[in-house]
Amino acid sequence: MSGTGSPPRRPALAGYGRQWIDDEDVAAVVAALRSDHLTQGPAVEAFERALAERCEVPHAVAVANGTAALHLACLALDLPAGSVGITSALTFAASANAMELSGLVADFSDVDPLSSCMDALTLEAALARLPEGRARLVVPVHFAGHPCPMDEIAAVASARGLRVIEDACHALGADHPDGRGGRLPVGSCAHADLAVLSFHPVKHVTSGEGGAVLTRDAALAERLRALRSHGMEGRPERLKVPEEAFDPATGEKNAWYHEMHSLGLNYRLTDLQAALGASQLRKLPRFLQKRRALAARYAERLAPLPFARLPTTREGYGHAWHLYVVGLDFDALGLTRHQVMVHLRERGIGTQVHYLPVPFHPYYRDRCAGRAWPEAEAAYRRCLSLPLHPGMDASDVDAVADALEELGR
Ligand SMILES: *Cc1c(COP(=O)(O)O)cnc(C)c1O
């Protein structure tokens, strides 16, 4: 340890992730505030169109947050109650919880040790434990922004009769091979029924809270829109109770009239949030470029550290770098992870752990007794997410690398 007292604080390093808001974003929100619609207005549709275009997918349905997006995606598939859905053991709890909240039973696959993502092998291994036909859904998670091999996963899913929801909350802007020598953005749903995004402030673009569901299926998109807003229907041609719906004098639809066709929720995004999200989305190329450059700098600076294991990217895949998750050999350092986090915190550096495997949470633990996810657990034991967001520069990365270097002395 250098022992020269606390080095200057760098506000950019206070947390592992942070939003980047500029004057354009502020102006966009102010304009929405001054408009006629704070919610259910044109800003939401404009944001949805921009998302659909960016992800090369026909339909985007904006919702209140990423968890709501996962919940609606599960509900829209309308699977038999008690069906099993398999997600990665190494994810945020919401990937599994959304299934449980939709009458499904969450189960977990291990991950590939290089990408920390589900692949065909880990999915097959999870399916092998279950009675034939019991699993009906798979929810692959593009961990840290590294896309899962969706072509392989989709092949298993179609052979086994599983629907597919991509949890793409980490991976807006990532891409993967299209199988024909080109690339496809994550969210295109080329290999999935639905894909889900989050716009929490730590994610690639933010709307404060926010999320979206993407799909190529017009019927699913329509169901999502209904579920997002109480299952209400107001389009004259869809109404089911004509004697209530139409004015006997003119034959016109009654001005007040709406019917509830399905059991829905209020999971709407506001126009304020949508205006912010759309403004942020215009900056996504710059955000991605910055994240990729910072990740490259980390790789260069951390490579010489014998106790650090760097994240890797599969050949042909475009990593979106939501997180920079380094593996640390705490035994070699003679320190616990908590001690390392405190050492960094004392130098003004915020870090986080992604993730405690979801089946380790007490809510899931009992039903998972006797089972193991060795690669997910190994990744968890060694992982530490270092600060990574567009408000950082190379000298911030160097400050983190210097603080880690001190540990090895
Ligand atoms: C952030 C996140 C979510 C949930 O998104 P919220 O917008 O916070 O509800 C779901 N899954 C993963 C993998 C996430 O990182």
Side-chain angles (χ1 to χ4, degrees), residues 163-399:
R163 307 298 295 270
V164 182
I165 300 172
E166 287 175 63
D167 184 339
C169 289
H170 291 187
L172 178 59
D175 58 71
H176 54 83
D178 68 358
R180 298 188 303 273
R183 299 270 190 117
L184 273 173
V186 158
S188 77
C189 296
H191 303 292
D193 296 288
L194 300 147
V196 164
L197 299 171
S198 163
F199 311 119
H200 184 275
V202 297
K203 306 288 164 71
H204 287 82
V205 306
T206 188
S207 57
E209 297 279 0
V213 190
L214 311 171
T215 185
R216 294 186 174 198
D217 183 327
L220 279 177
E222 181 158 331
R223 209 171 306 154
L224 290 163
R225 290 182 198 285
L227 289 167
R228 165 178 74 174
S229 197
H230 308 290
M232 287 293 175
E233 181 59 69
R235 290 167 294 182
E237 69 280 10
R238 304 292 175 95
L239 298 173
K240 294 181 177 173
V241 191
E243 61 276 24
E244 292 293 345
F246 299 101
D247 177 35
T250 65
E252 289 169 3
K253 188 185 87 100
N254 284 320
W256 71 86
Y257 190 77
H258 278 79
E259 293 173 0
M260 192 191 105
H261 287 186
S262 57
L263 192 62
L265 296 140
N266 176 359
Y267 274 174
R268 295 185 299 259
L269 192 73
T270 67
D271 280 50
L272 313 186
Q273 292 168 311
L276 177 55
S279 174
Q280 287 263 298
L281 193 59
R282 290 193 279 276
K283 289 184 271 283
L284 179 63
R286 269 190 281 153
F287 289 166
L288 285 167
Q289 201 176 30
K290 193 71 186 280
R291 286 175 177 275
R292 286 172 176 154
L294 294 166
R297 181 86 177 188
Y298 268 128
E300 189 182 312
R301 285 296 319 270
L302 302 182
L305 303 187
F307 54 85
R309 170 178 174 147
L310 307 188
T312 55
T313 308
R314 268 188 188 227
E315 185 64 34
Y317 285 68
H319 200 310
W321 295 106
H322 163 53
L323 300 173
Y324 196 86
V325 183
V326 68
L328 295 175
D329 185 342
F330 297 104
D331 291 340
L333 288 169
L335 293 167
T336 64
R337 175 158 53 197
H338 176 75
Q339 288 173 315
V340 170
M341 289 181 80
V342 170
H343 166 89
L344 294 172
R345 192 169 68 207
E346 283 168 352
R347 283 151 187 78
I349 299 166
T351 56
Q352 190 48 278
V353 170
H354 295 96
Y355 293 97
L356 177 72
V358 183
F360 290 16
H361 283 288
Y363 176 84
Y364 290 107
R365 217 162 72 149
D366 292 345
R367 77 170 80 162
C368 293
R371 294 180 57 194
W373 295 267
E375 296 300 344
E377 179 165 1
Y380 160 63
R381 297 283 171 215
R382 66 176 173 252
C383 73
L384 195 65
S385 299
L386 306 178
L388 181 67
H389 58 85
M392 290 169 57
D393 59 27
S395 73
D396 292 312
V397 171
D398 290 345

